Short mmCIF file of all heavy atoms in Angstrom, two decimals:
data_model
loop_
_atom_site.label_atom_id
_atom_site.label_comp_id
_atom_site.label_asym_id
_atom_site.label_seq_id
_atom_site.Cartn_x
_atom_site.Cartn_y
_atom_site.Cartn_z
N GLU A 1 39.47 5.98 103.25
CA GLU A 1 39.96 4.63 103.53
C GLU A 1 40.84 4.12 102.39
O GLU A 1 41.83 3.40 102.64
CB GLU A 1 38.79 3.67 103.75
CG GLU A 1 38.04 3.89 105.05
CD GLU A 1 38.96 3.84 106.26
OE1 GLU A 1 39.68 2.83 106.43
OE2 GLU A 1 39.00 4.82 107.02
N LEU A 2 40.52 4.49 101.16
CA LEU A 2 41.39 4.10 100.05
C LEU A 2 42.76 4.75 100.18
O LEU A 2 43.79 4.10 99.92
CB LEU A 2 40.75 4.51 98.71
CG LEU A 2 39.43 3.83 98.35
CD1 LEU A 2 38.94 4.32 96.99
CD2 LEU A 2 39.56 2.31 98.34
N TRP A 3 42.81 5.99 100.62
CA TRP A 3 44.09 6.66 100.81
C TRP A 3 44.85 6.08 102.01
O TRP A 3 46.09 5.99 101.99
CB TRP A 3 43.90 8.16 100.97
CG TRP A 3 43.77 8.83 99.64
CD1 TRP A 3 42.64 9.31 99.06
CD2 TRP A 3 44.83 9.03 98.69
NE1 TRP A 3 42.92 9.81 97.81
CE2 TRP A 3 44.26 9.66 97.55
CE3 TRP A 3 46.20 8.75 98.68
CZ2 TRP A 3 45.00 10.01 96.43
CZ3 TRP A 3 46.94 9.10 97.56
CH2 TRP A 3 46.35 9.71 96.45
N ARG A 4 44.11 5.66 103.02
CA ARG A 4 44.79 5.00 104.15
C ARG A 4 45.48 3.72 103.66
O ARG A 4 46.61 3.41 104.06
CB ARG A 4 43.77 4.67 105.25
CG ARG A 4 44.41 4.36 106.61
CD ARG A 4 43.38 3.80 107.60
NE ARG A 4 42.17 4.59 107.68
CZ ARG A 4 42.01 5.65 108.46
NH1 ARG A 4 43.01 6.06 109.23
NH2 ARG A 4 40.85 6.29 108.50
N TYR A 5 44.80 3.00 102.78
CA TYR A 5 45.38 1.78 102.21
C TYR A 5 46.58 2.10 101.33
O TYR A 5 47.65 1.48 101.47
CB TYR A 5 44.32 1.04 101.39
CG TYR A 5 44.87 -0.07 100.53
CD1 TYR A 5 45.20 -1.29 101.09
CD2 TYR A 5 45.08 0.12 99.17
CE1 TYR A 5 45.72 -2.32 100.31
CE2 TYR A 5 45.60 -0.89 98.38
CZ TYR A 5 45.92 -2.11 98.95
OH TYR A 5 46.44 -3.12 98.18
N LEU A 6 46.45 3.07 100.43
CA LEU A 6 47.56 3.42 99.55
C LEU A 6 48.78 3.87 100.34
O LEU A 6 49.92 3.58 99.97
CB LEU A 6 47.13 4.52 98.58
CG LEU A 6 46.10 4.12 97.51
CD1 LEU A 6 45.53 5.35 96.82
CD2 LEU A 6 46.72 3.17 96.50
N GLY A 7 48.54 4.56 101.44
CA GLY A 7 49.65 5.02 102.27
C GLY A 7 50.33 3.91 103.05
O GLY A 7 51.41 4.13 103.62
N SER A 8 49.71 2.73 103.08
CA SER A 8 50.30 1.61 103.83
C SER A 8 51.08 0.64 102.96
O SER A 8 51.67 -0.33 103.47
CB SER A 8 49.17 0.84 104.54
OG SER A 8 48.39 0.11 103.60
N LEU A 9 51.14 0.88 101.65
CA LEU A 9 51.83 -0.04 100.75
C LEU A 9 53.34 -0.02 101.01
O LEU A 9 53.97 1.04 101.04
CB LEU A 9 51.56 0.34 99.29
CG LEU A 9 50.09 0.22 98.83
CD1 LEU A 9 49.93 0.78 97.42
CD2 LEU A 9 49.62 -1.23 98.89
N ASP A 10 53.93 -1.18 101.19
CA ASP A 10 55.36 -1.28 101.49
C ASP A 10 56.20 -0.76 100.32
O ASP A 10 55.83 -0.91 99.15
CB ASP A 10 55.75 -2.74 101.75
CG ASP A 10 55.29 -3.22 103.11
OD1 ASP A 10 55.00 -2.36 103.97
OD2 ASP A 10 55.22 -4.44 103.31
N LEU A 11 57.30 -0.14 100.66
CA LEU A 11 58.35 0.30 99.73
C LEU A 11 57.96 1.52 98.89
O LEU A 11 58.80 2.06 98.18
CB LEU A 11 58.77 -0.84 98.79
CG LEU A 11 59.17 -2.16 99.46
CD1 LEU A 11 59.47 -3.21 98.40
CD2 LEU A 11 60.35 -1.96 100.38
N ILE A 12 56.72 1.94 98.97
CA ILE A 12 56.24 3.05 98.15
C ILE A 12 56.47 4.38 98.87
O ILE A 12 56.21 4.51 100.07
CB ILE A 12 54.75 2.89 97.81
CG1 ILE A 12 54.54 1.59 97.01
CG2 ILE A 12 54.23 4.09 97.03
CD1 ILE A 12 55.35 1.51 95.74
N GLU A 13 56.97 5.36 98.12
CA GLU A 13 57.24 6.68 98.69
C GLU A 13 56.29 7.76 98.20
O GLU A 13 56.09 8.78 98.87
CB GLU A 13 58.68 7.09 98.34
CG GLU A 13 59.72 6.14 98.91
CD GLU A 13 61.11 6.42 98.36
OE1 GLU A 13 61.26 6.48 97.12
OE2 GLU A 13 62.03 6.58 99.18
N ARG A 14 55.69 7.54 97.05
CA ARG A 14 54.81 8.54 96.48
C ARG A 14 53.67 7.87 95.73
O ARG A 14 53.85 6.82 95.10
CB ARG A 14 55.58 9.46 95.52
CG ARG A 14 54.73 10.55 94.87
CD ARG A 14 55.59 11.48 94.03
NE ARG A 14 56.21 10.77 92.92
CZ ARG A 14 57.09 11.33 92.08
NH1 ARG A 14 57.47 12.59 92.26
NH2 ARG A 14 57.60 10.63 91.09
N VAL A 15 52.47 8.46 95.82
CA VAL A 15 51.30 7.99 95.08
C VAL A 15 50.80 9.16 94.23
O VAL A 15 50.66 10.29 94.73
CB VAL A 15 50.19 7.52 96.02
CG1 VAL A 15 48.94 7.13 95.22
CG2 VAL A 15 50.65 6.33 96.87
N THR A 16 50.55 8.90 92.96
CA THR A 16 50.03 9.94 92.07
C THR A 16 48.60 9.60 91.66
O THR A 16 48.26 8.44 91.45
CB THR A 16 50.89 10.09 90.80
OG1 THR A 16 50.85 8.85 90.05
CG2 THR A 16 52.33 10.42 91.17
N PHE A 17 47.77 10.64 91.56
CA PHE A 17 46.37 10.48 91.19
C PHE A 17 45.97 11.71 90.39
O PHE A 17 46.09 12.84 90.87
CB PHE A 17 45.51 10.35 92.46
CG PHE A 17 44.03 10.23 92.21
CD1 PHE A 17 43.53 9.44 91.18
CD2 PHE A 17 43.12 10.88 93.04
CE1 PHE A 17 42.16 9.33 90.96
CE2 PHE A 17 41.75 10.77 92.83
CZ PHE A 17 41.27 9.99 91.80
N ASN A 18 45.50 11.51 89.16
CA ASN A 18 45.24 12.65 88.28
C ASN A 18 43.77 12.97 88.09
O ASN A 18 43.40 13.73 87.18
CB ASN A 18 45.90 12.44 86.91
CG ASN A 18 45.32 11.25 86.16
OD1 ASN A 18 44.38 10.60 86.62
ND2 ASN A 18 45.88 10.97 84.99
N MET A 19 42.90 12.41 88.97
CA MET A 19 41.47 12.68 88.84
C MET A 19 40.85 13.07 90.18
O MET A 19 39.69 12.75 90.46
CB MET A 19 40.75 11.45 88.27
CG MET A 19 41.08 11.13 86.84
SD MET A 19 40.38 12.33 85.66
CE MET A 19 38.67 11.86 85.69
N ALA A 20 41.59 13.77 91.01
CA ALA A 20 41.05 14.19 92.31
C ALA A 20 40.05 15.33 92.13
O ALA A 20 40.15 16.14 91.21
CB ALA A 20 42.18 14.63 93.24
N SER A 21 39.11 15.40 93.05
CA SER A 21 38.12 16.47 93.02
C SER A 21 38.76 17.81 93.35
O SER A 21 39.74 17.88 94.10
CB SER A 21 37.02 16.16 94.04
OG SER A 21 36.19 17.28 94.25
N VAL A 22 38.19 18.89 92.79
CA VAL A 22 38.65 20.22 93.16
C VAL A 22 38.30 20.53 94.61
O VAL A 22 38.83 21.48 95.19
CB VAL A 22 38.08 21.29 92.22
CG1 VAL A 22 38.59 21.10 90.81
CG2 VAL A 22 36.56 21.30 92.25
N GLN A 23 37.41 19.75 95.21
CA GLN A 23 37.07 19.86 96.62
C GLN A 23 37.54 18.63 97.38
O GLN A 23 36.85 18.11 98.25
CB GLN A 23 35.55 20.06 96.80
CG GLN A 23 35.05 21.40 96.30
CD GLN A 23 33.54 21.55 96.44
OE1 GLN A 23 32.78 20.71 95.98
NE2 GLN A 23 33.12 22.63 97.08
N ASP A 24 38.73 18.20 97.07
CA ASP A 24 39.31 16.99 97.66
C ASP A 24 39.40 17.11 99.19
O ASP A 24 40.06 18.02 99.70
CB ASP A 24 40.71 16.78 97.07
CG ASP A 24 41.33 15.46 97.45
OD1 ASP A 24 40.68 14.66 98.15
OD2 ASP A 24 42.50 15.23 97.05
N PRO A 25 38.79 16.18 99.94
CA PRO A 25 38.89 16.25 101.40
C PRO A 25 40.22 15.73 101.96
O PRO A 25 40.50 15.93 103.14
CB PRO A 25 37.73 15.36 101.87
CG PRO A 25 37.56 14.36 100.78
CD PRO A 25 37.87 15.11 99.49
N LEU A 26 41.04 15.08 101.12
CA LEU A 26 42.24 14.43 101.64
C LEU A 26 43.16 15.36 102.43
O LEU A 26 43.57 15.00 103.54
CB LEU A 26 43.02 13.77 100.49
CG LEU A 26 44.32 13.08 100.91
CD1 LEU A 26 44.06 11.95 101.90
CD2 LEU A 26 45.09 12.57 99.69
N PRO A 27 43.52 16.54 101.93
CA PRO A 27 44.47 17.35 102.72
C PRO A 27 43.94 17.71 104.10
O PRO A 27 44.72 17.86 105.05
CB PRO A 27 44.68 18.60 101.86
CG PRO A 27 43.52 18.64 100.93
CD PRO A 27 43.16 17.21 100.68
N TRP A 28 42.63 17.81 104.23
CA TRP A 28 42.04 18.16 105.52
C TRP A 28 42.01 16.97 106.48
O TRP A 28 41.79 17.14 107.68
CB TRP A 28 40.62 18.70 105.32
CG TRP A 28 40.62 19.91 104.43
CD1 TRP A 28 40.36 19.94 103.10
CD2 TRP A 28 40.95 21.24 104.81
NE1 TRP A 28 40.49 21.23 102.60
CE2 TRP A 28 40.85 22.04 103.65
CE3 TRP A 28 41.32 21.85 106.01
CZ2 TRP A 28 41.09 23.40 103.64
CZ3 TRP A 28 41.56 23.21 106.02
CH2 TRP A 28 41.45 23.98 104.85
N ALA A 29 42.23 15.77 105.95
CA ALA A 29 42.23 14.57 106.78
C ALA A 29 43.63 14.08 107.11
O ALA A 29 43.79 13.06 107.78
CB ALA A 29 41.45 13.46 106.08
N LEU A 30 44.67 14.78 106.64
CA LEU A 30 46.05 14.36 106.86
C LEU A 30 46.64 15.02 108.11
O LEU A 30 46.36 16.20 108.39
CB LEU A 30 46.91 14.70 105.65
CG LEU A 30 46.60 13.96 104.35
CD1 LEU A 30 47.48 14.47 103.23
CD2 LEU A 30 46.74 12.46 104.52
N ALA A 31 47.45 14.27 108.82
CA ALA A 31 48.16 14.84 109.96
C ALA A 31 49.09 15.96 109.49
O ALA A 31 49.30 16.95 110.19
CB ALA A 31 48.94 13.75 110.68
N ASP A 32 49.66 15.79 108.29
CA ASP A 32 50.50 16.81 107.68
C ASP A 32 49.99 17.03 106.27
O ASP A 32 50.29 16.26 105.36
CB ASP A 32 51.96 16.36 107.67
CG ASP A 32 52.91 17.41 107.09
OD1 ASP A 32 52.41 18.42 106.55
OD2 ASP A 32 54.13 17.19 107.14
N ARG A 33 49.21 18.09 106.07
CA ARG A 33 48.59 18.32 104.77
C ARG A 33 49.61 18.59 103.68
O ARG A 33 49.30 18.51 102.48
CB ARG A 33 47.58 19.46 104.84
CG ARG A 33 48.14 20.81 105.21
CD ARG A 33 47.07 21.90 105.17
NE ARG A 33 46.58 22.13 103.83
CZ ARG A 33 45.30 22.07 103.48
NH1 ARG A 33 44.38 21.76 104.37
NH2 ARG A 33 44.94 22.32 102.23
N ARG A 34 50.85 18.91 104.05
CA ARG A 34 51.87 19.15 103.05
C ARG A 34 52.34 17.87 102.35
O ARG A 34 53.10 17.92 101.39
CB ARG A 34 53.07 19.86 103.67
CG ARG A 34 52.72 21.27 104.17
CD ARG A 34 53.92 21.97 104.74
NE ARG A 34 53.57 23.30 105.26
CZ ARG A 34 54.43 24.14 105.82
NH1 ARG A 34 55.71 23.77 105.94
NH2 ARG A 34 54.03 25.30 106.27
N CYS A 35 51.85 16.74 102.84
CA CYS A 35 52.13 15.48 102.14
C CYS A 35 51.49 15.47 100.75
O CYS A 35 51.97 14.80 99.84
CB CYS A 35 51.59 14.29 102.93
SG CYS A 35 52.49 13.91 104.44
N ARG A 36 50.39 16.20 100.60
CA ARG A 36 49.66 16.23 99.34
C ARG A 36 50.06 17.48 98.57
O ARG A 36 49.90 18.59 99.04
CB ARG A 36 48.15 16.24 99.59
CG ARG A 36 47.30 16.36 98.32
CD ARG A 36 45.86 16.61 98.73
NE ARG A 36 44.96 16.78 97.61
CZ ARG A 36 44.74 17.93 96.98
NH1 ARG A 36 45.40 19.03 97.35
NH2 ARG A 36 43.88 18.00 95.99
N GLU A 37 50.59 17.27 97.36
CA GLU A 37 51.01 18.38 96.52
C GLU A 37 50.13 18.46 95.29
O GLU A 37 49.97 17.48 94.56
CB GLU A 37 52.47 18.21 96.10
CG GLU A 37 53.01 19.37 95.30
CD GLU A 37 54.47 19.18 94.92
OE1 GLU A 37 55.09 18.19 95.37
OE2 GLU A 37 54.98 20.03 94.16
N LEU A 38 49.55 19.63 95.07
CA LEU A 38 48.73 19.87 93.89
C LEU A 38 49.63 20.15 92.70
O LEU A 38 50.43 21.08 92.73
CB LEU A 38 47.79 21.04 94.15
CG LEU A 38 46.86 21.45 93.01
CD1 LEU A 38 45.87 20.34 92.70
CD2 LEU A 38 46.11 22.73 93.39
N LYS A 39 49.49 19.36 91.64
CA LYS A 39 50.39 19.49 90.49
C LYS A 39 49.76 20.27 89.34
O LYS A 39 50.42 21.07 88.69
CB LYS A 39 50.83 18.11 89.99
CG LYS A 39 51.48 17.24 91.05
CD LYS A 39 52.71 17.89 91.64
CE LYS A 39 53.86 17.98 90.68
NZ LYS A 39 55.09 18.51 91.30
N SER A 40 48.48 20.01 89.06
CA SER A 40 47.86 20.68 87.91
C SER A 40 46.35 20.50 87.98
O SER A 40 45.83 19.71 88.77
CB SER A 40 48.38 20.11 86.58
OG SER A 40 48.02 18.75 86.45
N GLY A 41 45.65 21.25 87.14
CA GLY A 41 44.21 21.11 86.99
C GLY A 41 43.87 20.75 85.56
O GLY A 41 44.63 21.04 84.63
N GLU A 42 42.72 20.12 85.37
CA GLU A 42 42.33 19.68 84.03
C GLU A 42 40.83 19.78 83.88
O GLU A 42 40.07 19.44 84.80
CB GLU A 42 42.78 18.23 83.80
CG GLU A 42 42.41 17.68 82.43
CD GLU A 42 42.74 16.22 82.27
OE1 GLU A 42 43.13 15.59 83.26
OE2 GLU A 42 42.58 15.70 81.15
N ASP A 43 40.39 20.25 82.71
CA ASP A 43 38.96 20.16 82.41
C ASP A 43 38.64 18.73 81.99
O ASP A 43 39.46 18.04 81.39
CB ASP A 43 38.59 21.13 81.29
CG ASP A 43 39.43 20.93 80.02
OD1 ASP A 43 39.12 19.99 79.26
OD2 ASP A 43 40.39 21.69 79.81
#
């Protein structure tokens, strides 16, 4: 639901988040999973 909200913000084209889980459910909940791009991992 937080991602649904972030995706509805006017004028915004990209959202960055640097603390996602390694088992992030978001790509599996997207109509187009390619919207989510994995950039890096961190301990």
Side-chain angles (χ1 to χ4, degrees):
E1 289 305 305
L2 296 181
W3 278 105
R4 196 190 311 274
Y5 168 79
L6 291 168
S8 71
L9 296 173
D10 285 341
L11 308 176
I12 299 303
E13 299 170 308
R14 180 175 63 185
V15 176
T16 63
F17 178 41
N18 64 3
M19 291 289 285
S21 168
V22 295
Q23 291 178 307
D24 188 2
L26 178 62
W28 301 98
L30 294 176
D32 182 352
R33 63 176 294 125
R34 295 182 182 180
C35 289
R36 176 190 178 275
E37 183 179 355
L38 179 64
K39 304 301 291 185
S40 64
E42 179 185 7
D43 56 79

